[in-house]
Amino acid sequence: MNPKYSLWALSWPVFIELLLQTLLGTVDTIMVSRISDEAVAVVGFANQLFNALNTLFMTIATGAGILVAQRLGMKRGEDARTIAIMAVSACALVGMALSVVLYAFASPIAGLLNVSDELLPLWNVYVSHLGGGMFLTALIAVLGTVIRNTGNTRGPMYISIAMNVIHIVLNYGFIFGALGMPKWGLLGVTVSGNLSKLFAAAILLYLFVFAFERTIRIRDFRVFDASLFKEVLKIGWPLGINMSCWVFSQLAIYAFLADLGDKELAARTYMNTLESFCFMLGSAIALAVQIQIAHLFGAGNIREAYRAAYRALAIGLGFVAACALLLFLFGRPMLGLFTKDGEIVAMGVSLLGLNLLLQPGKMLNMALGNSLNAVGDTRFTMYISIGSMSVIATGCSYWLGLHAGWGLIGIYCCMIADEYVRGILSLIRWRGKKFLLKGSGSGAQGRFEAAPAIHL
């Protein structure tokens, strides 16, 4: 196997990138908390909306990324190049459409999501301005996904470092009126966000031009291969529904929290920021193993692909469990960095023990779910997501959190149950090897028995 597709080579740049994104989110939250806890609640709620809309272009980006890795494993570089070009064009169009909608209809969207009157002015500022730059988010997502799936995970990492530095500096200036910049408060967060994304999108586009053996030209963006794009959608649309289930369940949970009160909403936003430190390394490993398995699967190395999932799961479980334990021990002072409201801190502290159970379930679900996606078994992950997230994550959260009066504790219990149900079902599916062997053709069984051990 090409050394650049080893788990270590793929995962550590992704981890650094996710770490920086998490640090950016933490710094953002700390800076925004200096404006008000209401501003934090708006940012947390609005970001769930953005995540939901992101699935419209991530459907194409993720499906294209898997196929790019598979085609490169098959030594079909021109097909991989064509798939990548079409994905960038399609995602850019979807991103532009979303930018227009968010900029023009922030208030009506707030009404649909039951945003309180107290939060509405801040909501309109944040959603209309940052949402207006959604096309930049779409470009960063698809360009980064395609580049990573060529085996180049370092390039997006370096760009992420630069983007984060720019964003933090501009955030500091625009929020507080420092460094000779105007004091714009929450508006400053949106301005710094869009400017840093513009920088990242431009550099990623430059890397994309040289990502394949043949340089990509402007005229190449007119290319359209219907059969290849159909393959992208065949893999991508179940992934899109899968992602939609998750983000819409999170959006529903945030709506439930808004019914509970602004303090509960702020507490969940702060905890979500802290939790991200627990699973970011697990996420990096899960994303890396998806790229690795897609490449191995395309090359016909079935035994290596099968074992790679378990190796990634074992490594990931060790890391996320250790991080969750550290958060449990030091969570209270860390929450104190965000807010001095004792009631909000107490709510967050009450969730630290449950987080010890939540993070291993997330890792199980991410590692095995991504492994199934890598070999094209995306419909299975879609089906279990529809069932578990709609019934357990959303329905039971409403019942326990609001109807039964368990509040945040009840909602967290449902989140834990959802992760383990999906993770265990994915594990059973992977152990069956049905789609793994079926998708690789008639010679798969022999290659499964004869292939050598995987590289770390």
Side-chain angles (χ1 to χ4, degrees):
M1 184 176 63
N2 190 326
K4 74 177 183 178
Y5 284 98
S6 69
L7 188 62
W8 168 250
L10 291 170
S11 61
W12 77 261
V14 176
F15 166 68
I16 297 297
E17 186 177 351
L18 291 175
L19 173 62
L20 291 170
Q21 289 176 358
T22 303
L23 290 174
L24 171 63
T26 303
V27 172
D28 258 356
T29 304
I30 292 175
M31 289 183 176
V32 173
S33 70
R34 298 302 181 261
I35 301 173
S36 67
D37 286 328
E38 289 76 16
V40 172
V42 164
V43 170
F45 200 170
N47 285 344
Q48 296 302 315
L49 170 65
F50 294 155
N51 289 337
L53 296 176
N54 285 350
T55 60
L56 296 175
F57 52 80
M58 285 305 297
T59 296
I60 300 171
T62 308
I66 292 172
L67 286 177
V68 165
Q70 289 184 359
R71 287 302 194 279
L72 291 176
M74 297 174 187
K75 308 300 182 184
R76 293 167 60 180
E78 278 300 307
D79 280 356
R81 181 179 181 274
T82 300
I83 290 169
I85 292 170
M86 291 190 296
V88 171
S89 300
C91 288
L93 292 175
V94 173
M96 288 297 296
L98 291 176
S99 292
V100 172
V101 171
L102 290 170
Y103 183 80
F105 301 105
S107 291
I109 292 172
L112 292 174
L113 297 176
N114 198 29
V115 176
S116 66
D117 293 338
E118 292 79 9
L119 299 180
L120 187 58
L122 292 173
W123 172 276
N124 288 338
V125 169
Y126 190 76
V127 170
S128 63
H129 289 85
L130 194 62
M134 184 64 75
F135 71 98
L136 296 172
T137 305
L139 284 175
I140 291 171
V142 66
L143 291 170
T145 299
V146 168
I147 291 169
R148 287 187 203 96
N149 279 273
T150 64
N152 178 15
T153 53
R154 294 190 185 188
M157 176 196 69
Y158 294 136
I159 294 170
S160 181
I161 292 173
M163 181 181 72
N164 288 337
V165 171
I166 292 172
H167 183 67
I168 290 171
V169 172
L170 293 179
N171 243 12
Y172 178 71
F174 285 127
I175 291 177
F176 305 110
L179 307 175
M181 299 179 187
K183 186 178 181 179
W184 284 343
L186 191 60
L187 175 62
V189 177
T190 68
V191 174
S192 64
N194 284 330
L195 287 177
S196 60
K197 288 176 183 178
L198 179 61
F199 165 82
I203 304 302
L204 282 169
L205 185 59
Y206 176 80
L207 287 184
F208 175 70
V209 167
F210 303 101
F212 299 91
E213 289 187 6
R214 192 158 60 90
T215 303
I216 295 173
R217 307 294 182 184
I218 294 178
R219 63 177 178 270
D220 292 329
F221 286 94
R222 294 178 297 182
V223 69
F224 182 80
D225 187 310
S227 62
L228 288 178
F229 195 72
K230 183 178 179 181
E231 286 190 56
V232 172
L233 295 181
K234 183 178 179 180
I235 288 183
W237 75 262
L239 286 173
I241 293 178
N242 190 351
M243 289 184 287
S244 297
C245 288
W246 187 83
V247 294
F248 280 112
S249 71
Q250 293 300 303
L251 194 59
I253 288 172
Y254 267 78
F256 301 157
L257 293 171
D259 281 342
L260 291 174
D262 292 344
K263 290 184 182 295
E264 285 82 357
L265 192 57
R268 172 56 189 150
T269 300
Y270 292 136
M271 274 299 298
N272 190 57
T273 300
L274 292 181
E275 287 171 17
S276 59
F277 284 99
C278 293
F279 65 78
M280 62 184 170
L281 184 51
S283 298
I285 293 171
L287 179 57
V289 81
Q290 176 175 293
I291 297 171
Q292 184 186 55
I293 289 175
H295 188 267
L296 292 169
F297 181 71
N301 297 329
I302 304 305
R303 181 170 178 264
E304 290 188 23
Y306 179 74
R307 294 184 60 199
Y310 296 118
R311 184 66 59 87
L313 175 61
I315 295 171
L317 283 174
F319 280 114
V320 300
C323 291
L325 180 59
L326 289 174
L327 181 57
F328 177 76
L329 296 175
F330 302 104
R332 180 182 288 274
M334 294 175 72
L335 285 166
L337 295 174
F338 300 109
T339 181
K340 302 303 180 184
D341 190 310
E343 189 175 351
I344 294 177
V345 171
M347 290 178 186
V349 169
S350 68
L351 303 175
L352 294 174
L354 291 175
N355 189 56
L356 291 170
L357 298 175
L358 176 64
Q359 297 309 320
K362 278 182 174 289
M363 187 65 236
L364 175 66
N365 185 30
M366 288 188 298
L368 275 302
N370 280 17
S371 298
L372 290 170
N373 292 335
V375 299
D377 197 4
T378 55
R379 292 194 182 189
F380 178 80
T381 56
M382 176 191 70
Y383 293 143
I384 63 175
S385 293
I386 292 173
S388 181
M389 291 186 192
S390 60
V391 175
I392 300 175
T394 305
C396 292
S397 287
Y398 175 80
W399 178 63
L400 284 180
L402 297 182
H403 184 71
W406 286 27
L408 272 173
I409 300 294
I411 290 174
Y412 254 67
C413 289
C414 296
M415 291 167 56
I416 293 170
D418 166 60
E419 295 288 353
Y420 278 100
V421 166
R422 287 186 289 133
I424 291 171
L425 290 175
S426 296
L427 175 61
I428 294 171
R429 178 75 165 188
W430 186 254
R431 285 179 62 84
K433 301 189 281 289
K434 178 179 179 180
F435 202 91
L436 187 69
L437 297 177
K438 176 183 177 182
S440 187
S442 59
Q445 185 64 47
R447 289 193 297 274
F448 183 86
E449 297 299 334
I454 65 171
H455 294 278
L456 279 180

